[in-house]
């Protein structure tokens, strides 16, 4: 019937790692008090559990075994709830200590299971999206209609709580939405990198969630209108075949490189420590061979030896992994939370050139511009990159794809950075 049809339809898809009988039904039945909530009698409960076993322990696995010899079957996802330490040792794991448990993002570095099939953090859609589904002006963050569009019972409160840990207070709702997306990206990429660094112990990482079926404040990385949040832009690097993942802890910098490639790769790791005006304190190139399908530390140093008495608030460590003329990966490492960085006002120079597909945008700065955000309120289209850090002296090229042409596009395009977002 329906089950067999869907197994046949999907079984050759390259992304299927496992067939799951259900999502969180076992967890809900055992740990969430459903019996009491819905007033089930003892007889009701026994009957429901009997049917559960028939469907998920017998019918579904029998169909999977007959029709797909490649992907394994598990009766329920997760196999063990996130409140139990065993959830990180066997089966797949839904880890919600961050968000529902209100644990800090650094918990992601410690709570790593074998296959992380669910974890997440909400981000508010861009202000341009909000305006389309919330009428009236001005739109208030704490208005009933904003809360109505919050998919989590207290999501806006949680976002605010986490934001205060790491960011200065944004000026208004437009900037608040922008910073909430930076916060979401920070959290989820912390988790992804911890999972990838932990291979082969952890060999799977699925964040919740990709997109939306309604215009709300949710855990998605792409909003209801199809606009990519900051997280979606970051994911292109986070899930790339090569990942540089530096860890700064207890005065040490450890540089992990993760490879999903099935053959070794000769490459060069270029490291540069600069202040926010571009002055270099330290520069090093390291030839190396990256081991296939692995995660390993390729450089480890005490920061004090590299840059004695360095001001942690005004420096950034830049990493680039190159092989011949190809750039395999890039990463920046800051030593403080964003609210403790000594950011400054910066003029972002722009040069806009029209092309058949839309526009080429060239951006240049002489000081660090953190989390540069581009938006085009008057011309529909898609930016090839966004929410990125722009280093002093660097020229960044972004493609804006649009079927609509606007003679004033360059002047009307909105550009901001983190320094401009918070109350002074």
């Amino acid at each position: 019937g329906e089950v067999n049809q869907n197994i046949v339809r999907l079984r050759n898809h390259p992304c299927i790692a496992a067939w799951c009988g259900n999502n969180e039904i076992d967890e809900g039945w055992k740990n969430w008090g459903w019996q009491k909530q819905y007033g089930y009698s003892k007889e009701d409960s026994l009957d429901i559990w009997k049917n559960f076993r028939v469907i998920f322990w017998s019918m579904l696995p029998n169909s999977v075994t007959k029709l797909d010899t490649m992907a394994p079957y598990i009766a329920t996802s997760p196999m063990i709830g996130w409140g139990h330490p065993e959830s990180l040792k066997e089966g797949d794991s839904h880890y919600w200590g961050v968000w529902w448990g209100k644990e800090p993002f650094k918990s992601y570095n410690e709570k790593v299971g074998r296959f992380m099939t669910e974890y997440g953090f909400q981000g508010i859609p861009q202000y341009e999206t909000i305006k389309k589904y919330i009428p009236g002006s001005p739109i208030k963050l704490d208005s009933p209609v904003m809360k109505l569009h919050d998919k989590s019972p207290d999501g806006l409160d949680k976002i605010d709580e986490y934001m205060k840990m790491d960011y200065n207070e944004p000026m208004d709702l437009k900037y608040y939405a922008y910073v909430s997306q930076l916060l979401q990206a920070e959290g989820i990429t912390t988790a992804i990198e911890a999972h990838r660094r932990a291979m082969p112990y952890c060999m799977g990482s699925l964040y919740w969630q990709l997109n939306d079926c309604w215009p709300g404040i949710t855990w998605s990385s792409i909003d209801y209108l199809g606009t990519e949040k900051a997280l979606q832009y970051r994911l292109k690097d986070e899930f790339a075949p090569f990942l540089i993942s530096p860890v700064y802890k207890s005065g040490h910098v450890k540089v992990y490189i993760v490879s999903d490639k099935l053959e070794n790769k000769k490459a060069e790791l270029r490291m540069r420590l600069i202040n926010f005006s571009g002055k270099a304190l330290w520069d090093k190139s390291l030839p190396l061979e990256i081991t296939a399908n692995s995660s390993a530390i390729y450089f480890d140093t005490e920061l004090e030896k590299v840059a004695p008495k360095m001001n942690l608030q005004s420096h950034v460590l830049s990493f680039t992994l190159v092989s011949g003329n190809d750039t395999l990966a890039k990463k920046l490492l800051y030593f403080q939370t964003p609210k403790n960085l000594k950011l400054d006002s910066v003029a972002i120079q722009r040069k806009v050139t029209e092309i058949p597909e839309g526009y080429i945008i060239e951006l240049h700065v002489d000081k660090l511009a953190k989390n540069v955000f581009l938006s085009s309120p008057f011309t529909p289209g898609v930016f090839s990159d966004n929410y990125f850090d722009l280093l002093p002296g660097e020229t960044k090229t972004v493609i804006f794809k649009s079927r609509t042409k606007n003679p004033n596009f360059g002047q009307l395009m909105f550009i901001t950075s983190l320094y401009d977002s918070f109350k002074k």
Side-chain angles (χ1 to χ4, degrees):
E2 184 182 1
V3 170
N4 293 349
Q5 180 194 22
N6 279 289
I7 294 171
V8 171
R9 181 174 66 90
L10 296 169
R11 64 188 174 187
N12 292 324
H13 198 291
C15 288
I16 292 183
W19 294 95
C20 303
N22 69 74
N23 178 71
E24 296 184 345
I25 295 179
D26 185 88
E27 162 105 347
W29 184 255
K30 291 176 179 174
N31 299 321
W32 297 350
W34 285 356
Q35 295 91 324
K36 184 178 179 181
Q37 182 182 350
Y38 297 110
Y40 294 142
S41 66
K42 187 176 180 181
E43 291 75 19
D44 291 334
S45 296
L46 288 170
D47 193 45
I48 289 169
W49 187 245
K50 177 185 171 185
N51 289 328
F52 177 95
R53 289 187 298 176
V54 169
I55 295 169
F56 299 116
W57 293 1
S58 177
M59 288 172 57
L60 294 182
N62 286 343
S63 293
V64 170
T65 303
K66 286 176 189 172
L67 296 169
D68 186 5
T69 58
M70 297 291 289
Y73 171 87
I74 56 174
T76 189
S77 178
M79 293 178 70
I80 302 168
W82 66 265
H84 304 278
E86 295 82 8
S87 70
L88 300 176
K89 297 175 183 175
E90 55 188 278
D92 73 314
S93 176
H94 292 193
Y95 176 64
W96 285 101
V98 173
W99 188 258
W100 294 113
K102 294 187 178 180
E103 294 173 15
F105 288 157
K106 65 182 180 181
S107 296
Y108 279 135
N109 293 317
E110 311 300 327
K111 304 296 176 70
V112 177
R114 309 306 304 275
F115 185 2
M116 304 299 289
T117 50
E118 201 179 286
Y119 54 93
F121 196 90
Q122 283 190 343
I124 301 172
Q126 272 190 32
Y127 186 66
E128 297 304 320
T129 298
I130 294 172
K131 285 196 300 184
K132 284 183 170 66
Y133 67 78
I134 294 184
S137 185
I139 304 166
K140 299 287 187 183
L141 184 65
D142 59 353
S143 69
V145 71
M146 277 290 285
K147 291 180 179 178
L148 186 67
H149 283 83
D150 184 355
K151 189 67 175 68
S152 181
D154 59 348
L156 287 167
D157 292 336
K158 280 198 183 77
I159 290 169
D160 200 62
E161 198 172 321
Y162 277 90
M163 192 182 288
K164 283 173 180 170
M165 292 183 204
D166 289 351
Y167 288 87
N168 292 304
E169 185 182 355
M171 283 195 297
D172 55 26
L173 180 57
K174 184 175 190 174
Y175 284 111
Y176 195 95
Y178 154 75
V179 174
S180 85
Q181 291 191 26
L182 303 182
L183 183 70
Q184 178 192 33
E186 176 193 335
I188 299 307
T189 56
T190 299
I192 292 168
E193 292 194 26
H195 302 160
R196 292 195 69 184
R197 286 196 306 268
M199 70 184 294
Y201 182 85
C202 176
M203 290 296 285
S205 184
L206 301 173
Y207 71 94
W208 179 263
Q209 67 200 77
L210 177 64
N211 53 10
D212 283 328
C213 62
W214 77 309
I217 298 159
T218 76
W219 302 263
S220 73
S221 57
I222 301 173
D223 75 23
Y224 178 67
L225 298 181
T227 306
E228 298 184 8
K229 295 180 184 175
L231 171 59
Q232 186 67 22
Y233 282 100
R234 292 279 298 278
L235 290 172
K236 294 161 190 175
D237 291 330
E238 295 297 318
F239 281 131
F242 292 101
L243 171 73
I244 305 169
S245 183
V247 175
Y248 174 66
K249 189 176 180 181
S250 304
H252 265 79
V253 175
K254 295 182 179 182
V255 184
Y256 288 78
I257 298 177
V258 182
S259 171
D260 283 343
K261 291 290 188 178
L262 298 182
E263 61 281 327
N264 289 4
K265 184 78 170 178
K266 290 190 186 305
E268 183 182 14
L269 180 63
R270 297 172 184 168
M271 299 173 279
R272 195 161 177 259
L273 182 64
I274 61 170
N275 69 14
F276 292 170
S277 295
K279 183 182 177 183
L281 270 72
W282 177 76
D283 206 316
K284 184 178 178 66
S285 289
L286 195 65
L288 33 96
E289 185 168 1
I290 304 163
T291 307
N293 205 28
S294 71
S295 167
I297 297 169
Y298 287 84
F299 185 73
D300 183 354
T301 187
E302 197 174 342
L303 191 61
E304 184 69 20
K305 290 180 180 176
V306 169
K309 298 183 172 55
M310 183 192 78
N311 185 345
L312 295 176
Q313 294 178 301
S314 59
H315 286 79
V316 59
L317 191 46
S318 167
F319 300 91
T320 309
L321 186 66
V322 297
S323 179
N325 294 323
D326 296 329
T327 299
L328 304 180
K330 285 185 168 187
K331 182 67 71 177
L332 297 177
L333 175 65
Y334 295 91
F335 306 99
Q336 296 281 304
T337 57
K339 74 176 180 182
N340 289 324
L341 295 177
K342 294 287 187 186
L343 301 176
D344 200 358
S345 176
V346 56
I348 303 172
Q349 299 168 30
R350 66 180 87 177
K351 180 186 175 186
V352 177
T353 307
E354 187 177 319
I355 55 175
E357 311 91 76
Y359 298 91
I360 295 174
I361 303 156
E362 293 175 276
L363 304 171
H364 184 84
V365 291
D366 56 9
K367 288 185 284 187
L368 171 74
K370 185 125 183 44
N371 303 118
V372 173
F373 171 55
L374 311 173
S375 72
S376 177
F378 304 104
T379 309
V382 178
F383 292 97
S384 61
D385 200 359
N386 216 338
Y387 303 92
F388 48 81
D389 293 356
L390 206 49
L391 295 180
E394 180 183 5
T395 297
K396 170 86 174 180
T397 300
V398 177
I399 307 296
F400 181 73
K401 288 192 175 179
S402 176
R403 294 178 180 176
T404 307
K405 292 293 192 292
N406 186 327
N408 297 315
F409 172 78
Q411 290 76 35
L412 294 173
M413 181 179 62
F414 176 73
I415 304 181
T416 193
S417 66
L418 186 60
Y419 176 84
D420 299 315
S421 73
F422 51 80
K423 292 180 178 177
K424 307 298 188 291

